[in-house]
Amino acid sequence: MDSRVLRERVRQVWAGDALGGLSEFVTIPALSPAFDQAWAANRQLHAAVELVRAWLAERPIAGARAEVVELPGRTPVLLLDVPARDATNPETAVVYGHLDKQPPAGEWSPGLGPWTPVVKDERLYGRGAGDDGYAAYAAAVALEALHAAGGRHARTVVLLETGEESGSPDLPAYLDELAGRLGPVGLVICLDIAGADHERLWLASSVRGIAFLDVTVRVLTSGVHSGHGSGIVPSSFRVLRQLLDRIEDARSGRILLPELETALPDGAADEIRTGVAEGFLTPRLPVADGVRLVSDDPVELVLNNTWRPTLSVTGADGLPPLLDAGNVLRPYTGLKLSFRLPPTVDAPAALAAVEKALTADVPSGAQVELARAEAADGWSTTPRAAWLTSALDEASAEVFGAPWRSIPLGGTIPFLGLFGRAYPDAQFVVTGPRGPGNNAHVPDEWLHLQQTERVTETVARILHAHATAR
């Protein structure tokens, strides 16, 4: 393989066709089904898939076939199937990304907007540019550059789903449907994470699982004047607060249910200490003045964010805006509970434990309603093969000029848990160009274009090494 040609082709395509295609992708409000109940009728997900499919179909990649697969009633999946090129490895390599997006999530800065692509200071701004539209283009550019440079690769399938931001509820059905077509998967490359900076290659060693549900406590059939009802009918807020106290210690934030905890694996603490020493900290957050973090020890903060369970209340119902709130004993209080789970916890069992805690022996006999409950397992990497470690070392030296590092992450990628169970002996490379301040899920999302080129070249090098791995 001609490394010079590889790098030049990656840079050329990203500066031209790939950046243009990704910019057009930004313009499509392809909201994930959790944020667009009428997604099937609105067909914005389909528009995004068709845009990317057409772009992939035009790439000069010998034998490549771009195909949309859509099971009845489920979000579509886009596949790019590329036959092996000069490979002795019979395994399939799978490269994963997703095309669904988060909503705008507030007001963007002047001159920026969620559906308006803007290139500024080597960044592409717009919703879905970094999470995770770039993955489709990076995978194709890596393969195109490999072919141009005389490289090789095993059979490679780029798999792009459209429900990741909703917890990937349709992905298990598709993996069952496609299992025979994928064949023996030996390498999984997931392009959907953020690292600690934009200077080196960062890999995820684990991601957390997730469980979430809506819980509503109801005490009245309609609201009444608080002067008439308070002290007689229990407050729905107070009952709900009591239920939450069964799950979380309100003073420390520690989760009290053993089903949501796990032991820290060997080497995890050392990995975190090394990462912290080299600049990996918890995410840079817009902490309000005077607010103290949970701990002064950065290692403890990383452990909290990666290997310990947490609860976040991410939404509420039954509570009027402050300016509209009167002297009313409200009939109900509803909360959306989001649990981040340690990577190796059984997520369905954890969700069942939460549901039991919320519904057993409810104070004052209040009515408890649960809805929209879902769970997805986390993932922890398998030991790396010698060929992969060597490929990572070489790519890091030649592409980044700095050693690669692996770190645990606090987010959730259900795909990894599903593939980890389906292919326990496969090698995993979980990486991406996102880094501090990339603003995924919030206003002013952006993609670091130079880091994206470097990650794309690295993906090509890993595919090249995998072609003859044993």
Side-chain angles (χ1 to χ4, degrees), residues 9 24 45 70 104 117 120 208 274 300 303 311 323 375 406:
R9 179 59 69 92
E24 189 173 357
L45 289 176
E70 186 168 2
K120 180 181 178 182
R208 287 193 288 184
T274 299
E300 284 298 304
L303 285 169
L311 165 62
L323 292 178
S406 63

Side-chain angles (χ1 to χ4, degrees), residues 131-166:
D131 188 17
D132 187 41
Y134 81 87
Y137 298 88
V141 173
L143 288 161
E144 179 179 336
L146 260 185
H147 285 218
R152 55 184 179 259
H153 61 81
R155 181 198 174 202
T156 302
V157 177
V158 181
L159 189 157
L160 305 164
E161 66 157 317
T162 56
E164 194 273 345
E165 301 291 6
S166 302

Side-chain angles (χ1 to χ4, degrees), residues 117-143:
V118 174
V119 177
K120 180 181 178 182
D121 299 328
E122 289 297 324
R123 300 175 177 183
L124 172 61
Y125 288 86
R127 179 62 84 225
D131 188 17
D132 187 41
Y134 81 87
Y137 298 88
V141 173
L143 288 161

Side-chain angles (χ1 to χ4, degrees), residues 19 22-23 25-32 35 98-135 137 164-165 191-194 198 433-449 452:
L19 180 57
L22 182 56
S23 296
F25 171 79
V26 166
T27 68
I28 301 175
L31 297 183
S32 197
F35 309 103
H98 66 87
L99 302 177
D100 56 315
K101 305 181 184 183
Q102 288 275 330
E107 184 176 352
W108 289 49
S109 296
L112 302 178
W115 321 124
T116 303
V118 174
V119 177
K120 180 181 178 182
D121 299 328
E122 289 297 324
R123 300 175 177 183
L124 172 61
Y125 288 86
R127 179 62 84 225
D131 188 17
D132 187 41
Y134 81 87
Y137 298 88
E164 194 273 345
E165 301 291 6
L191 297 175
D192 189 22
I193 72 158
H198 297 104
R434 298 202 307 271
N438 67 82
N439 285 4
H441 297 197
V442 298
D444 299 355
E445 176 183 341
W446 53 269
L447 177 69
H448 193 290
L449 296 176
T452 302

Side-chain angles (χ1 to χ4, degrees), residues 282-369:
T282 50
R284 298 176 185 174
L285 304 172
V287 179
D289 289 344
V291 174
R292 296 186 300 274
L293 299 183
V294 173
S295 173
D296 295 328
D297 183 347
V299 173
E300 284 298 304
L301 292 178
V302 175
L303 285 169
N304 287 344
N305 187 240
T306 59
W307 276 96
R308 292 170 182 156
T310 58
L311 165 62
S312 298
V313 176
T314 60
D317 200 2
L319 295 164
L322 294 178
L323 292 178
D324 298 335
N327 294 319
V328 175
L329 181 64
R330 296 175 298 100
Y332 69 93
T333 300
L335 298 177
K336 184 173 187 64
L337 308 181
S338 176
F339 296 87
R340 294 289 180 173
L341 307 172
T344 54
V345 159
D346 183 329
L351 178 59
V354 170
E355 292 175 328
K356 181 178 179 180
L358 293 172
T359 56
D361 193 22
V362 178
S364 303
Q367 297 178 5
V368 175
E369 305 160 10

